[in-house]
Amino acid sequence: MKQQKFVYFFGGAKAEGLGGQKELLGGKGAGLAEMTRIGLPVPAGFTITTAVCDLYYKSGKRFPQGLEKEVARHLSRLEKVTGKRLGDPKDPLLVSVRSGAARSMPGMMETILNLGLNDRSVEGLAAKTQNPRFAYDAYRRFIQMYAVTARGLPRERFVEAHERAKTRHRARTDPELPAGALKGLVQEFQRIYQQLERKPFPQDPAEQMWGAIEAVFGSWMAEKAVTYRKVEKITGLAGTAVNVVQMVFGNKGDSSGTGVCFTRDPSTGENVFYGDFLVNAQGEDVVAGIRTPLRLAEMERRMPAVYRQLAAVRRRLERHYQDVQDIEFTVEEGKLYILQCRTGKRTPAAAFRIAVDLAREGVIDRKTAVRRIAPEDIERLFYPVVDSKISAAEKDRARLARGINAVPGAAAGQIVFTAHEAERRAAAGDRVILVRKETSPEDVGGMHVAQGILTATGGKTSHAAVVARGWGKCCIVGCEALLVDAAKQEMRAGGKILREGDPVTLDGADGSVYAGELPLVQPGLPACFKTLMSWADAFRGLAVRANADTPYDAENAVALGAEGIGLCRTEHMFFDSEERRLAIQQMIVAGTAQARQKALAKLLPFQRNDFIGIFKAMDGKPVTIRLIDPPLHEFLPQERPKQEELARRIGVSPEFLTRRVEQLRETNPMLGHRGCRLSITYPEILRMQVTAILEAAVLCRRKGIRAIPEIMHPLVMDEREFAILEAETRRVAEEVFARQKRRVPYLVGTMIEIPRAVLRAREIALRAQFFSFGTNDLTQMAMGLSRDDAGRFLPHYVGEEGNGVFKKDPFQTLDGAGVGELVKIAIERGRAARPGLKIGICGEHGGDPDSIRFCHAAGMDYVSCSPFRVPIARLAAAQAALAAGDARRPTRRHPRRKFVKA
Amino acid sequence: MKQQKFVYFFGGAKAEGLGGQKELLGGKGAGLAEMTRIGLPVPAGFTITTAVCDLYYKSGKRFPQGLEKEVARHLSRLEKVTGKRLGDPKDPLLVSVRSGAARSMPGMMETILNLGLNDRSVEGLAAKTQNPRFAYDAYRRFIQMYAVTARGLPRERFVEAHERAKTRHRARTDPELPAGALKGLVQEFQRIYQQLERKPFPQDPAEQMWGAIEAVFGSWMAEKAVTYRKVEKITGLAGTAVNVVQMVFGNKGDSSGTGVCFTRDPSTGENVFYGDFLVNAQGEDVVAGIRTPLRLAEMERRMPAVYRQLAAVRRRLERHYQDVQDIEFTVEEGKLYILQCRTGKRTPAAAFRIAVDLAREGVIDRKTAVRRIAPEDIERLFYPVVDSKISAAEKDRARLARGINAVPGAAAGQIVFTAHEAERRAAAGDRVILVRKETSPEDVGGMHVAQGILTATGGKTSHAAVVARGWGKCCIVGCEALLVDAAKQEMRAGGKILREGDPVTLDGADGSVYAGELPLVQPGLPACFKTLMSWADAFRGLAVRANADTPYDAENAVALGAEGIGLCRTEHMFFDSEERRLAIQQMIVAGTAQARQKALAKLLPFQRNDFIGIFKAMDGKPVTIRLIDPPLHEFLPQERPKQEELARRIGVSPEFLTRRVEQLRETNPMLGHRGCRLSITYPEILRMQVTAILEAAVLCRRKGIRAIPEIMHPLVMDEREFAILEAETRRVAEEVFARQKRRVPYLVGTMIEIPRAVLRAREIALRAQFFSFGTNDLTQMAMGLSRDDAGRFLPHYVGEEGNGVFKKDPFQTLDGAGVGELVKIAIERGRAARPGLKIGICGEHGGDPDSIRFCHAAGMDYVSCSPFRVPIARLAAAQAALAAGDARRPTRRHPRRKFVKA
C-alpha cells in the first residue's frame, strides 16, 4: 500500500498541491500552492495536511508514523530553495507556522511567527540585516507567541514585562524601545518562560517547530474554535492544515511594507484597485490599526515598480479565480511577496455589480453570475439599516434587549401598546412601533400602520412574524427579556421602564431593541440588480408569484417581478376598517343564516372593491384568492371590556356576546372549525366571497382590465367535500354571469395542506383545476407540530444546538424527508388524474431558497412568497434550475410555464 | 326487451317469488312467498315489487305502464285460487293491502284491511258468515282505514262518531255495539267521507285497491317514514313493496283466533315454544293490548289439533331459516293461517344461548353461530340497566334532559360537581354522579370513584367519554340542555335546579338524565357466553389486548379474555393519590433538572408498585407501557384558587405558579409539547419511568411472575428522535439490570400516530421492535381534525344528516380511505425494514368492529381496546377472519400469532 502523503511542498515556482485541494490543504495551503503554480511571488514553504490533524486526534493526539521524516525532508527542500538553514547562527531561515482549515475561521486559530530564532541565530540575523533592533524585536515576539500559543502560558506576564520595559525606557510606543532594551526584554521573557515552564526556552529550532505544529493542531479543538464552528454551522471538516512558510518582513525600512488589497471595491463593486498599505510594517500592525495606512495610489507614487507588479498580480488573480480577490502582500526591501489570497467579501450591492461586470467582461458567463448572488444578498438590499455612523459602543449603551430577528431591516418610532392606538397616532402622522405580548388578526390594522413590530413571545413563524414578513416590515419576536404590561401601558426591559410614546428603535438584522430613535438609512437598489435578475429569470423554470392581500401589496409584488398572486388572503380585508370589522363580527354573532347574510351583504361591496384594485394591479396576471380561512373566534375580541363595547355596537347583550365567544373557543384551533369547513357550515360566506370575486372580475373586464381569478378553497380534506364546494362555487358563478350578462374565465382549485388531502389528491384533482401547497399547515399536521407552541421544544430538535434530529427548522425550510414526501405524493396523484395540473406552493417555504430547490425538483409550476421575497425566489429558482442542470435556454424573459425535462 | 315483472303471485302451494328476494319483494312479500313454497298454510295473494315504488317516485308519482294489467291478471288468479271474487255481492273476496320494505320499519308504513267491502258485498258477507255484526264491523273498520290512510282524512272525525255511537248505545267497549248500531255507524262514516271528500265513498273494489296501493306507496315518503330511515340509518332501499293478500279472520267466534309466537324464548333463548294467543280476535286486538292473551299452553288445551299444526310449523320454519322465527298466525274457524314470519328479535343473553344451542343441535355450524352475535349484543350484556318495571311514562316524567350516550349502562347516585367532592363522598360510602361542564385529567380520581359521569359539552371521544369507556363506566356527554354552575354548586335542566347531593340517574343506553334514583338491575353473563367466545377465539387471527392503566383494570381485562395489555397509560397513575399528584406538580413547577429529579424520585416507588401490580395481573402476558404523553399543563390547576392552594403546598409564590401555568399554556396542545417530546426535553422523566418499569419487572421475576414489559414511546416523528429515546431507554435498562444483578427481556417500540412517523416507518423500524398505531391522534393529524372541537362541524360531514362526506364518524370507525392508507403505508415500510415487526392498534378504534375488520385485513398482530370491549373485539376479530375467508382452523384456544395467509 502506498504511504499516504502528509506534506505538500510549494516554492521555486512549483507546488505539489492544487488550488482545488482546500479540504486537504486548507484554504491557505491550497491558495499558496495555486499562487506558486501560476508563477506569483509567494514565499516558499510546505503544508501538513488536514488528514494529519484528523489522524492526530483519532490516535489520542499522536502524530502519525512517518510524518517526522516527511517534514524533515520538506524542511531540507525549503532550506535549499531559500538558501538558508533553520537555526543557522549566521543567516537563519525563519518561518511562520500557521493554521488553515478548509473554511475560514478568522481569529480562531493560532499562528506563530519568526520561528527559528534562538540566542545564537538572533545574533546572526542582527548581523546579516545590520539591524539588531529588528532582530531582537522579532525574537521577543517569537518567544511571547510560542510561550502563549504553544505552551499556554499567560499572555499578561509578557505584556506586563513589555510595559515595564517601555516605562523604564520612557517609550510611549513600541518602536521607541531601543535595541538594547529589546535584548533585555528577550532575557526577561526567557526568565518568565523558565519560571513558568520549569525549563528553559527551547533553543533547538526543530523542537520549536514541532511545538508550533502541535499548537496549531491543539487550537482546532480549543473551546472557542469548537464554539465558532457550532455557531457558524461549519461541519464535515477533517481538521486544520499547518503551513510552514518562509518569513518575509515588511518592517525592514522604507523600502519594505505590508498591505491588504481587493481586486475591486468591495463596498460598491466598482472596477478599481482598492486597498491599504503601510510602509515599514508587519501584517499585525495593519490589523492593530495603530497607524493610518496609505491608499494604493500613494503606494504607486512611492514604489512605482512594486505597485506595477502588484497591479499585474491583481489582474492575474482575478482572471485566474474568476472572482474578486482579497490579497495580503508584503514588500521586503523592494521585493513583493503575496502571502495569501481569497475570495473577497463584499456588500450586497457590490455583489450585483461585480457579477454583472465580470460577466460583461467575459470573465464568467451569465449562469455563473447568477450563481454568485446569495439569496440573503437580495434580502439585505431592501431593508433600511441603522446608520453605520453609530458605533458598536453606542449601540451597546442603547440596547434594551435582544429578541428573535424575524424580519430584517430597522425601524424607529414611538412605542404603542395597542393596534388601536397605533392607528390613531399613525393617522396623526406619527411613526409608531407596535409592542405586544403577541399579535392576533385583530391587530393587523395597527400592525400595518406601524414602522415595526415587537413581541415578547412567538417564533419566526408566529402571527406577527408571518404578517410582518409579508409586508417586509421590521419585526422582532420572542423578545423574552421584555415584560409588556399593556394595561399599564408600559414595558420593562434592560432595567428600564418605557411608556407609550417613548422612542424606540428595532434592528431586525440582529434582533436588537434600542432605547431612543437611532438614525436609519435606506440603501438604494444597485444599477445592476435589474440586469442580473433578468438573467436569472431566463434560467428558471419555476414561475414566481407573490402572497398579496391588498392592491398596495399587489403593486409592490409586480414591481418586484411577481408573475401573479399565489395567495390572496381574504380575511385580512375584514380588518381593514372599523366598518368592515363590525360587519364580519355581526356575521359571526348572528344566530341565523338570514342574519348572517344581512351582515355579509355589507361586506360584499368592500370585498368587491378590494378585488377590483388587486385585479387592476395584476392586469393579465393570475390571482389566486383563498376564501376565508381562520376560525371565527379570531375575529372577536377576547377581553371582556372590548366584548362589552362590541356588544353595545352591534346591539346584543354583553352576556350573549361573551357566551358566543365562549362557544367559539377551541382547544386546538389549528385543527378546528376553519378553512373550507366554514364554507360547508355557513355556505353564505362562500356565496358572498365568490360573488365579490367574480363581480369584480366582470367589472374589470368591462374596463379592459384582464382579471384572471383563481378561486381557492383552503383546508380541503376529501374529494366529496371539495365537490360540494366546487359545485356551489360554480353555481354562484353562473348566477353572477347571468346577472352581469358576461362571463369571465376562472379556475376553482384547492389548497393541499391536510395530510388526508395528499392521500386523496387523485380524487380531488378530478375536480380541482389547481393545487396550492399550504406547507405551513401541512408541516404542522404532518409533523404534529403547532408552530405557535413548537418554540418551546423545537430548538431541542434542530441543528447542533438541539439534538440534530432536524438540520433546519422545518417551518423555515421544507422538511424534505417527511412533508416533502407528502408533497411529492400529492403531485404524483394529482397529475395522474389531471395531467398538467397547475401546482404551486404558497406557504412560508415559498420564499426559502432550499425549499424552492425542492419545489423545482418536485416539478411544481410556481412558488409564491411575500412580495419582498419575490426577487429572492426568482434568483433561487434560477439557481435551482442551474444546479439541477435543467435551466431553460435564455430566450423568454418571464417564463410562465414549467420547464419540461427531456 | 322483456317486460320487467312487476307482480309476484303466491298461493296454492306455489309462489313466483323467493325468500331471498327481500330487496325486490320486501321482507313480508319474500316471507310469504317462501312460506308458500315450503308448503305452509299461507293466505294467497300477490306482491307488487319495490321496483314499482321506485318507478312511481321517479316518474312523478305515476304507475308504470303495464302495471294495471299485471295486477288485474294476478287478481284474477287470486280469485281463482280462493274461489271468491272481489266485490262479489254474495261471498266477496276480501283482501288486505300492506306495505313491506326490505327492512322492517315498525309502525311507519300503512296497512288497509278488509278491502273489497261495499254496500252490496257487506250484505253478502253478513249472509255468508251469518254474522251481520262481524260484516258491518269489518266494513266500518275498512271505511275508516281507507279514509284516513288512503285519503288522508282526519282520524278524529271517525273516532268521535264511533264514541258517540257507543254513548248512544251505552256500550262501554267496542264489542258491545250491536250490529244495527254498526250499520248506522257505517252510514255515518260514509257521510263524513262524503262531506270531507266531496264525493261518495268508492264502491268499486278496483278503485279501492288502487287507492290503497297508492296509499302504501305514499307512506314510503311520509315524513315520519323518512325520518325513521334517517334515524335508523336505513339507506339504499328502492322503496316499499305492496302485498295484496286474502283476508282471514280470527274474529269469527271461538274456533277462531289470532296470535304471535317465537320458536324459542326471545328473552332467555331457551328452546321452548313461546307466544300469545287470543281467541276470537283480530291481529290489531293483540297489538292493542285490551284483552289479556293466553299462553300457547292454553291454546294447546283449547285447540289441540291447531296447536299441533302450529308446533309443526315452528319446527319447519326454524329448520328452514336456521334461526329463531317470530311468527304471526290466525285461526279462522279451526283453520290455521301463517300470516308472517321473520327472524325473531332477542335479548343479548338469548342471542348467545340460541346461537350455541342451534350449533349444538346441528342446525348451524360454529362459524355461523359466531357470525350470529352482533358486537352490540356483547356490549349490552355488561351494563346495568334501568329496571324494566319503570314504564315509559314514568321515565318521561322523570327525564331532565338527553345528552350523547357515550358509554352505555345506567348509574344512579348523588350529584357532585367536583372531582374532589366525588372522592370525599365516595370515601364516605356514598354513590355519586360526577357532573362537570367538561372533564380534564385532573378529574380522573373523581371520575374513577363516581358511578357515572355527566358533562354538558364534548362528544363521544371527549376526555370524559374516552376515560369512562375505558372503565365501562356509564357516561353521558354533550348534554347541551344542562347548565352547570360549579361555583354555585347547582345545575339546571328541564326547568329544574338540582344541587349537590340531589339524586339523579343516568341511562347511558339512550343518554337520558333522570331526576331521582331509578332502580337499576345488573344482567348476568349468560352460560353460553364462554362457549361462544371460545369458538370465536378459535377463528380469529388477531390477538386482542386491553388498554389498562391499573392492576384492577388489568385483572378485569384478563377476566374478559385479554391476551395482553396494548396500552398502559402511565400518566393516569400520577393522579391516583394526593401525594402523587403533588409530586408530579412539583416536578413540573421545578426550574432545574435537579429539582425535577427530586420530585420524580418521589414518584418512582409509586410507579414501580403500580407496574408490579399490573405485571402480577398479566403474569406471562405482554404489557405495553406508554411513557408520559399529555402536555404538562394538563397536570396543573387552571383556576386561580386552586393554583393558590397548590402554590402554598409546594412552597412557591402564587404568582410564580400562575406564571408557570401561563408559560405552559398552548395554542394547540394536541400539536404541542407532549409525548416523547417531554422525554427529549426532560430526559429525567424517561429515566424515572424506565427505571420504575424495569425494577418492577425484575422484582416480579424474582417472585416467579413472568413480567413482559414493552416500553412504548409516544408521538415519535423521526428516526433520529426515536434513536435518542431508544438509546436512553437501553442505557437506563442496563443500569437497572446491573444494579439488580438480573436481566429481564423487554422490547422498545413506538406509537405511530404522527403522519411523518408513517412516512419514516422504514427508518424507525430499524430500531423499533414494535409499532402501535395511535389512531386517535393519527386521525386528528391526518384529517386536521381536533376531536375536542370537531363536534361543531363534523356532524355536517357525517352520514345522511351531514353532507355524506364521511359515512361514519372517523373517530369511531377508522377512516379507511385516508387514515387507513397511512396505516397500510406504515405497516408496509415497517415490515420492509424488520420482517415480522409486531404491529397493533391502541386507539379508540381498537374496539370498533368495522375498524377491527380493517386491522385484520391490514395484517396487524393485535388490537387493543378498553377491557369492557375485549369480548367485542374478540368476536369482531373472529367475524373479520370469517368474512375474509381466512379463519384459522379451530385448534388453539388463544392464538397469539397472526394468521399467515397462504
Side-chain angles (χ1 to χ4, degrees), chain B residues 230-250:
Chain B
K230 212 175 226 180
V231 171
E232 295 291 317
K233 298 183 177 142
I234 299 176
T235 56
L237 298 188
T240 181
V242 182
N243 299 290
V244 177
V245 188
Q246 177 193 10
M247 285 295 302
V248 291
F249 295 95

Side-chain angles (χ1 to χ4, degrees), chain A residues 22 26-28 100-109 228-229 232 234 237 340 342 345:
Chain A
K22 270 193 178 182
K28 183 187 289 283
R103 285 191 48 190
S104 170
M105 296 168 60
M108 285 304 121
M109 309 278 299
Y228 181 89
R229 289 197 295 273
E232 295 291 317
I234 299 174
L237 299 188
Q340 180 169 302
R342 56 186 174 194
K345 287 213 183 342

Side-chain angles (χ1 to χ4, degrees), chain B residues 184-201:
Chain B
L185 195 55
V186 161
Q187 286 161 354
E188 172 71 10
F189 275 15
Q190 290 195 351
R191 265 197 302 278
I192 294 169
Y193 186 97
Q194 162 98 42
Q195 184 198 349
L196 295 171
E197 280 284 281
R198 302 191 177 275
K199 55 181 177 181
F201 181 78

Side-chain angles (χ1 to χ4, degrees), chain A residues 667-671 674 776-777 779-791 793 811, chain B residues 631 666-674 677 715 717 753-755 777 780-782 784-786:
Chain A
T667 313
N668 296 290
M670 181 54 52
L671 309 176
R674 50 175 286 241
N776 295 353
D777 277 6
T779 299
Q780 297 198 83
M781 292 176 203
M783 305 185 75
L785 281 181
S786 161
R787 60 176 181 177
D788 293 316
D789 306 310
F793 56 90
F811 290 116
Chain B
E666 293 184 306
T667 313
N668 297 288
M670 182 53 53
L671 309 176
H673 194 185
R674 50 174 287 240
R677 294 163 190 180
L715 219 72
M717 60 173 156
E753 49 189 339
I754 291 185
D777 278 4
Q780 297 198 86
M781 293 176 203
L785 282 180
S786 160

Side-chain angles (χ1 to χ4, degrees), chain A residues 521-765:
Chain A
V521 292
Q522 174 75 50
L525 270 189
C528 294
F529 175 76
K530 277 208 160 176
T531 310
L532 193 121
M533 291 309 293
S534 75
W535 295 352
D537 288 342
F539 295 128
R540 67 189 156 92
L542 283 167
V544 175
R545 297 191 184 188
N547 300 349
D549 308 341
T550 63
Y552 172 84
D553 289 348
E555 282 162 24
N556 229 328
V558 170
L560 292 167
E563 295 158 287
I565 289 179
L567 176 63
C568 174
R569 286 163 291 223
T570 51
E571 56 271 9
H572 287 171
M573 299 177 183
F574 297 146
F575 286 106
D576 219 46
S577 74
E578 202 54 40
E579 212 176 343
R580 294 171 177 212
R581 212 170 321 181
L582 210 61
I584 184 82
Q585 288 168 334
Q586 265 171 335
M587 193 281 287
I588 294 165
V589 172
T592 66
Q594 217 174 8
R596 269 194 299 277
Q597 266 153 13
K598 207 175 135 195
L600 286 165
K602 288 189 207 163
L603 282 169
L604 176 65
F606 289 121
Q607 285 231 310
R608 190 172 48 214
N609 270 342
D610 288 333
F611 292 131
I612 288 173
I614 290 169
F615 289 142
K616 260 187 200 164
M618 301 305 296
D619 188 7
K621 298 187 174 70
V623 179
T624 306
I625 298 162
R626 180 180 76 182
L627 302 192
I628 188 168
D629 186 52
L632 297 183
H633 51 76
E634 285 198 5
F635 295 97
L636 295 183
Q638 298 301 311
E639 297 114 47
R640 181 75 193 201
K642 283 196 178 176
Q643 288 173 0
E644 281 169 7
E645 191 196 326
L646 177 61
R648 196 173 40 70
R649 297 186 62 182
I650 62 179
V652 298
S653 75
E655 289 67 35
F656 176 83
L657 191 75
T658 304
R659 204 155 55 238
R660 185 80 182 117
V661 170
E662 197 56 47
Q663 274 177 352
L664 288 173
R665 184 159 297 156
E666 293 183 307
T667 313
N668 296 290
M670 181 54 52
L671 309 176
H673 194 186
R674 50 175 286 241
C676 72
R677 294 163 191 178
L678 296 170
S679 294
I680 292 282
T681 52
Y682 306 120
E684 51 278 6
I685 301 180
L686 177 151
R687 282 177 211 132
M688 182 281 277
Q689 294 203 297
V690 172
T691 303
I693 293 166
L694 294 177
E695 283 184 357
V698 169
L699 293 173
C700 282
R701 290 261 171 176
R702 281 229 175 82
K703 291 184 193 158
I705 298 158
R706 280 188 58 223
I708 308 179
E710 303 179 339
I711 298 171
M712 179 159 77
H713 294 284
L715 219 73
V716 164
M717 60 172 156
D718 184 83
E719 63 272 20
R720 281 168 297 244
E721 179 188 46
F722 183 75
I724 294 167
L725 300 166
E726 195 235 17
E728 187 64 8
T729 303
R730 298 219 179 269
R731 198 187 61 69
V732 173
E734 290 307 319
E735 273 177 21
V736 170
F737 296 155
R739 212 161 46 230
Q740 298 284 336
K741 298 192 177 57
R742 179 161 184 158
R743 304 187 67 82
V744 169
Y746 69 102
L747 300 181
V748 185
T750 180
M751 291 193 72
I752 300 287
E753 50 189 339
I754 291 184
R756 194 178 192 277
V758 167
L759 301 171
R760 308 305 296 167
R762 191 181 294 112
E763 291 75 14
I764 292 171

Side-chain angles (χ1 to χ4, degrees), chain B residues 855-875:
Chain B
C855 295
H856 174 86
M860 288 193 197
D861 296 296
Y862 68 88
V863 297
S864 187
C865 56
S866 12
F868 282 89
R869 294 194 76 87
V870 164
I872 297 174
R874 288 161 64 196
L875 179 73

